[in-house]
């Protein structure tokens, strides 16, 4: 990976064109959403933390799945992407602590996954691939030149999607 | 005191937190020393309020592989206790308790996991007990759970729990020293905002 890398922080979004790679580290229950327009090679990655914005703290739209997806799609459209061409790949949504049984937070990963999928459906964007769930953290790379997402995790082989 | 978020906390509040933290960590170090039969000290805890990315960076970076033992606090205050240990610390524990040494996280078996959970549990319990005695606040601890993974992923748990109210984490953390050498292991207390206000009131710091 000798291309330029852009690090996407927590509750953050970055966009880039080819050649460029977007990366976000150690997604636990958070989800990395890779949006891509293949024709103009424009890629965006959102790192969301929580499923739904409850009117709380709207300073940061990228913290939530619903507002994060909507805003990222809007920004991409502003940079020339077309919704009907856009595709999506997601990773994350793990359950880090097996016996963490607080009902509200224990399955936050699952709720994140569900909310991201709903948001994508609302925007009419195809979800091509996903690497979600289980109990391990993932580091996600997204190559703007090819639209290929790479997932690295501890104790698991690197996987491309 | 009406505090909607941690940022309203002033210097005096930090001092009070550091003070009760140091009593907690002192107790935790004594307990650990008794279990391992080695000289264990803990540094004076740091009280920090930092953004999510920065908090993870300061704890060792998102991709650092650590073992985290997590316990929920409930009762009069709510929050999370998280004990993070790296390879070095794990080896100190395993050498003493199970007479073995590991070079790779993949070698860890279920007995090791159990030993590490127990050590984490002892440390956390003694910290919380000391704090509870000092402040007169009743705190219950949940059964500990353990995760061996990237630090960033583990830190997702407190981040998501407080994510709706905060963009930052308040951490009260201490580092262990074993036989005068510093080993990477962090004991973090992450209270939620209301609990923090409650603790302050009990200590008479808040007006």
């Amino acid at each position: 990976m000798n291309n330029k890398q852009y690090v996407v922080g927590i509750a953050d979004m970055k966009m880039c064109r080819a050649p460029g790679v977007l990366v976000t580290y150690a997604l636990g229950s958070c989800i990395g959403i890779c949006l891509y327009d293949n024709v103009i090679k424009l890629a965006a990655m959102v790192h969301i933390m929580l499923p739904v914005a409850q009117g709380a703290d709207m300073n940061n739209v990228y913290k939530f799945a619903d507002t994060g997806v909507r805003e990222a799609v809007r920004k991409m459209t502003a940079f020339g992407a077309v919704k009907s061409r856009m595709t999506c790949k997601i990773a994350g949504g793990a359950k880090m602590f097996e016996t963490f049984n607080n009902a509200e937070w224990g399955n936050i990963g699952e709720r994140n996954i569900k909310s991201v999928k709903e948001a994508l459906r609302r925007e009419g964007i195809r979800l091509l691939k996903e690497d979600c769930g289980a109990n391990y953290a993932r580091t996600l790379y997204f190559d703007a030149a090819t639209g290929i997402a790479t997932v690295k995790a501890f104790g698991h082989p690197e996987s491309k999607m | 005191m009406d505090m909607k978020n941690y940022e309203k906390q002033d210097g005096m509040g930090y001092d009070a937190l550091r003070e009760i933290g140091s009593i907690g960590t002192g107790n935790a170090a004594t307990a650990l020393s008794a279990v391992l039969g080695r000289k264990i000290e803990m540094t004076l805890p740091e009280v920090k309020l930092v953004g999510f990315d920065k908090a993870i960076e300061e704890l060792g970076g998102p991709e650092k592989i650590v073992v985290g033992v997590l316990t929920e606090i409930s009762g009069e205050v709510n929050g999370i206790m998280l004990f993070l240990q790296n390879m070095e610390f794990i080896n100190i524990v395993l050498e003493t308790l199970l007479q073995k040494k590991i070079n790779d996280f993949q070698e860890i078996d279920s007995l090791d996991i159990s030993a590490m959970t127990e050590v984490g549990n002892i440390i956390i319990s003694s910290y919380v007990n000391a704090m509870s005695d000092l402040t007169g606040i009743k705190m219950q601890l949940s059964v500990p759970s353990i995760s061996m993974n990237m630090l960033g992923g583990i830190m997702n748990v407190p981040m998501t729990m407080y994510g709706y109210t905060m963009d930052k984490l308040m951490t009260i953390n201490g580092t262990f020293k074993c036989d005068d050498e510093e080993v990477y292991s962090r004991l973090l207390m992450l209270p939620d905002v209301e609990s923090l206000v409650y603790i302050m009131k009990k200590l008479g710091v808040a007006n």
Side-chain angles (χ1 to χ4, degrees):
Chain A
M1 295 222 183
N2 41 16
N3 293 333
K4 185 111 181 72
Q5 272 194 17
Y6 303 92
V7 179
V8 181
I10 295 157
D12 185 18
M13 191 279 280
K14 285 211 169 69
M15 225 180 334
C16 81
R17 288 180 200 273
V21 175
L22 295 161
V23 56
T24 194
Y25 298 109
L27 292 155
S29 56
C30 296
I31 295 188
I33 307 162
C34 306
L35 293 161
Y36 192 56
D37 184 331
N38 189 36
V39 176
I40 57 167
K41 307 279 180 211
L42 180 69
M45 190 192 277
V46 196
H47 181 146
I48 62 107
M49 275 173 64
L50 293 161
V52 186
Q54 297 173 337
D57 179 27
M58 288 305 293
N59 307 327
N60 192 351
V61 288
Y62 300 119
K63 206 192 248 179
F64 311 100
D66 54 348
T67 50
V69 169
R70 196 192 310 143
E71 181 62 11
V73 169
R74 194 191 66 79
K75 281 241 166 86
M76 280 186 76
T77 323
F79 278 83
V82 176
K83 247 192 196 180
S84 59
R85 292 196 303 241
M86 273 157 75
T87 55
C88 183
K89 290 170 183 176
I90 62 173
K95 190 180 182 190
M96 297 305 294
F97 287 88
E98 252 345 292
T99 52
F100 188 60
N101 44 20
N102 183 323
E104 199 181 343
W105 302 108
N107 61 351
I108 189 80
E110 242 170 78
R111 283 165 52 207
N112 277 339
I113 298 169
K114 219 173 128 211
S115 182
V116 168
K117 286 183 180 169
E118 261 171 37
L120 289 171
R121 207 171 304 131
R122 259 198 309 274
E123 295 291 334
I125 292 165
R126 275 174 300 149
L127 178 65
L128 293 185
K129 295 265 173 64
E130 60 177 303
D131 184 347
C132 291
N135 61 352
Y136 55 89
R138 300 164 171 87
T139 287
L140 176 66
Y141 295 87
F142 191 49
D143 191 339
T146 57
I148 290 173
T150 310
V151 174
K152 284 182 186 165
F154 163 67
H156 293 266
E158 182 180 316
S159 73
K160 286 195 189 300
M161 62 176 186
Chain B
M1 184 170 68
D2 183 30
M3 188 167 74
K4 286 283 180 306
N5 57 42
Y6 302 117
E7 261 136 287
K8 302 267 162 62
Q9 202 50 247
D10 54 9
M12 196 167 150
Y14 274 73
D15 284 346
L17 285 175
R18 200 172 300 126
E19 194 50 43
I20 53 169
S22 76
I23 290 166
T25 52
N27 260 269
T30 312
L32 185 63
S33 189
V35 175
L36 300 179
R38 295 175 77 155
K39 185 183 167 195
I40 308 275
E41 287 172 308
M42 260 190 107
T43 58
L44 209 62
E46 289 176 301
V47 180
K48 273 189 181 158
L49 177 68
V50 282
F52 296 143
D53 285 306
K54 186 135 185 279
I56 292 173
E57 211 52 61
E58 281 179 2
L59 288 170
E63 289 194 296
K64 187 184 176 80
I65 305 294
V66 294
V67 170
V69 178
L70 179 139
T71 310
E72 282 172 86
I73 307 172
S74 57
E76 287 178 56
V77 297
N78 294 293
I80 288 180
M81 291 294 300
L82 190 58
F83 179 61
L84 302 170
Q85 39 197 324
N86 79 340
M87 182 73 78
E88 218 181 332
F89 188 87
I90 291 164
N91 273 329
I92 292 175
V93 171
L94 295 184
E95 262 173 52
T96 324
L97 297 180
L98 300 168
Q99 285 80 45
K100 65 185 272 192
K101 214 175 152 87
I102 52 156
N103 298 310
D104 188 5
F105 279 103
Q106 313 276 21
E107 293 169 32
I108 291 171
D109 61 29
S110 60
L111 188 62
D112 304 346
I113 290 277
S114 165
M116 290 183 296
T117 314
E118 204 39 50
V119 166
N121 195 22
I122 289 166
I123 291 169
I124 291 171
S125 306
S126 41
Y127 181 99
V128 171
N129 279 342
M131 218 177 129
S132 181
D133 284 348
L134 182 77
T135 54
I137 298 170
K138 286 198 186 71
M139 297 183 229
Q140 273 111 42
L141 289 173
S142 70
V143 176
S145 50
I146 192 163
S147 174
M148 177 169 60
N149 225 296
M150 291 186 206
L151 177 64
I154 288 173
M155 289 305 288
N156 269 188
V157 176
M159 278 166 10
T160 48
M161 277 187 83
Y162 307 135
Y164 274 119
T165 44
M166 284 297 295
D167 278 320
K168 289 179 176 172
L169 282 180
M170 153 86 63
T171 61
I172 304 166
N173 83 63
T175 301
F176 285 89
K177 271 182 172 176
C178 178
D179 296 335
D180 293 323
E181 262 180 73
E182 199 163 303
V183 265
Y184 177 95
S185 57
R186 298 287 166 83
L187 181 61
L188 300 177
M189 181 178 183
L190 307 140
D192 67 19
V193 182
E194 291 106 67
S195 304
L196 196 64
V197 177
Y198 189 80
I199 294 171
M200 290 296 158
K201 276 193 180 145
K202 276 273 177 178
L203 291 170
V205 183
N207 36 35

